[in-house]
Amino acid sequence: MKMSKRTAAELVAPMLVASSFFGASLRLFNYAFKRVDYVPETSAEKQKYADAYWQYMDWYKQVNKATWQLHPNDAANHLVAHFIPAENSKRVVVISHGYKGNGSTMANYAQMFHQLGFNVLLPDNRSHGSSAGEYINFGWLDRVDYLDWLQMIIEKVGPEAEIVLFGASMGGATVEMMSGEKLPTQVKALIANSGYSSIEAELAYLLKKQFHLPKYPFVPLVSLINKRRLGYYLNAVQSTTQLKKNHLPIFFIHGDHDSFVPSEMAFDNYSATQGPRELWLVKDATHVESFWIDPARYQRHIVAFLKKYLPERK
């Protein structure tokens, strides 16, 4: 039977549309998930904090620190962290960095905690900094890596270690996702600054805001690509699901003018957790700006939270 040109076009057109959707989704995946070996420049709204940022970086470069490694003989899974010791202290904070950053970009938080008497561990997450990896996993695989970092802390600092987990942006979500795992008893409290509720919701939000694209079919196609590349669908990457299993004290910090991770996600995370919880919604703060607006006030809030759940030893 001879096929008309119209019939052939009607059959081919959906295939072309599907192919174009998949191609666009592949480009989106590579744009968002593929590692970059540099730290992108901060947003224009935060350039006013550049001098302060570099002062913290100067401190980080000069402070005494040791390099820790996981899986050093496994090129695909080799992970690196830096440990800043505190004299005569068993308290340790593990600081999880943000998207396309690395441990050193958290120097401001590291200095704050170090001055409060904490040893500080600053991992480079998979596909960031000196750690291996081709694709960013948005905290889902990192949460398991951090369990190994926790065991290393306990081995090196001792079983009497008192550990706080802290993260900002993607690092905040990483801490939230860790909360649903079986954590060592040495972990006493969690602090999540500007973490998202789920990566699907975050991608859908940014697709609409930045590219004016709908969730469907792009997010499901990106999820399918992620399954092929990293082994899981994106609907697995949910802070809220993990927080439902959490019973540790957790402090959520979020800017009420955050246009990258909307503040509604902070309320979703706050509602999900089962442990003692506090939420500080910072007036006029954009994404991860809460510290920079007033570092002293930020520190006071951190100290007040920790005094409740990590009292001084007598």
Side-chain angles (χ1 to χ4, degrees):
M1 182 177 71
K2 188 175 181 180
M3 185 181 295
S4 70
K5 290 183 179 180
R6 180 178 176 180
T7 302
E10 288 173 345
L11 289 173
V12 169
M15 297 172 61
L16 292 175
V17 171
S19 177
S20 66
F21 280 149
F22 186 82
S25 299
L26 183 59
R27 289 192 294 273
L28 284 168
F29 176 84
N30 287 330
Y31 172 79
F33 288 72
K34 198 170 181 63
R35 84 173 288 157
V36 294
D37 289 313
Y38 62 90
V39 176
E41 192 172 89
T42 190
S43 61
E45 66 194 10
K46 294 193 183 69
Q47 290 294 339
K48 58 189 173 187
Y49 304 119
D51 289 344
Y53 173 83
W54 289 113
Q55 288 175 8
Y56 288 113
M57 288 295 286
D58 288 341
W59 169 84
Y60 174 79
K61 291 174 184 176
Q62 295 169 16
V63 73
N64 178 44
K65 54 185 171 292
T67 300
W68 290 9
Q69 300 182 73
L70 291 173
H71 323 299
N73 299 317
D74 183 351
N77 294 292
H78 180 211
L79 303 175
V80 176
H82 290 96
F83 182 79
I84 303 172
E87 190 173 352
N88 299 321
S89 176
K90 294 295 184 179
R91 293 188 166 183
V92 185
V93 62
V94 184
I95 298 180
S96 184
H97 64 75
Y99 177 64
K100 295 185 178 178
N102 57 50
S104 70
T105 61
M106 307 295 277
N108 55 315
Y109 303 111
Q111 187 191 72
M112 178 188 71
F113 277 104
H114 195 252
Q115 289 177 345
L116 292 173
F118 282 79
N119 300 278
V120 181
L121 185 69
L122 295 157
D124 287 353
N125 293 347
R126 284 180 182 265
S127 305
H128 293 82
S130 299
S131 292
E134 188 175 357
Y135 298 106
I136 298 168
N137 67 84
F138 289 91
W140 189 241
L141 301 181
D142 298 318
R143 86 191 195 286
V144 179
D145 295 329
Y146 275 60
L147 298 178
D148 292 334
W149 289 125
L150 291 176
Q151 289 304 316
M152 186 172 288
I153 289 170
I154 294 166
E155 290 169 10
K156 290 179 177 287
V157 176
E160 64 274 30
E162 296 179 310
I163 302 172
V164 173
L165 306 180
F166 174 95
S169 191
M170 186 183 77
T174 301
V175 167
E176 292 160 356
M177 291 176 202
M178 286 179 70
S179 76
E181 302 302 311
K182 187 176 181 180
L183 299 174
T185 57
Q186 287 84 357
V187 177
K188 306 299 183 183
L190 318 174
I191 304 171
N193 188 342
S194 307
Y196 40 79
S197 56
S198 80
I199 195 57
E200 274 196 333
E202 176 66 7
L203 284 177
Y205 170 80
L206 292 176
L207 271 177
K208 183 177 180 180
K209 181 176 177 59
Q210 296 185 357
F211 301 105
H212 309 290
L213 293 173
K215 177 178 179 178
Y216 299 101
F218 298 105
V219 171
L221 286 171
V222 169
S223 180
L224 182 63
I225 296 166
N226 193 77
K227 173 68 173 176
R228 294 291 300 274
R229 298 284 196 274
L230 291 172
Y232 56 89
Y233 293 109
L234 295 183
N235 61 9
V237 188
Q238 296 192 27
S239 298
T240 48
T241 300
Q242 291 290 97
L243 285 163
K244 288 176 182 177
K245 297 181 280 184
N246 173 56
H247 293 279
L248 288 170
I250 185 165
F251 185 24
F252 299 100
I253 303 171
H254 217 103
D256 71 349
H257 279 39
D258 194 332
S259 61
F260 190 76
V261 178
S263 58
E264 289 82 0
M265 291 191 176
F267 290 101
D268 292 339
N269 290 329
Y270 179 85
S271 297
T273 188
Q274 300 301 299
R277 58 193 178 177
E278 295 183 20
L279 169 61
W280 178 29
L281 198 64
V282 184
K283 183 176 172 56
D284 298 329
T286 60
H287 187 60
V288 201
E289 192 185 14
S290 302
F291 174 93
W292 299 102
I293 288 176
D294 190 338
R297 181 180 62 165
Y298 192 94
Q299 180 171 315
R300 287 195 299 271
H301 278 269
I302 296 291
V303 169
F305 171 75
L306 292 177
K307 277 185 177 179
K308 293 179 184 177
Y309 303 107
L310 194 63
E312 294 288 343
R313 288 179 174 176
K314 295 182 180 180

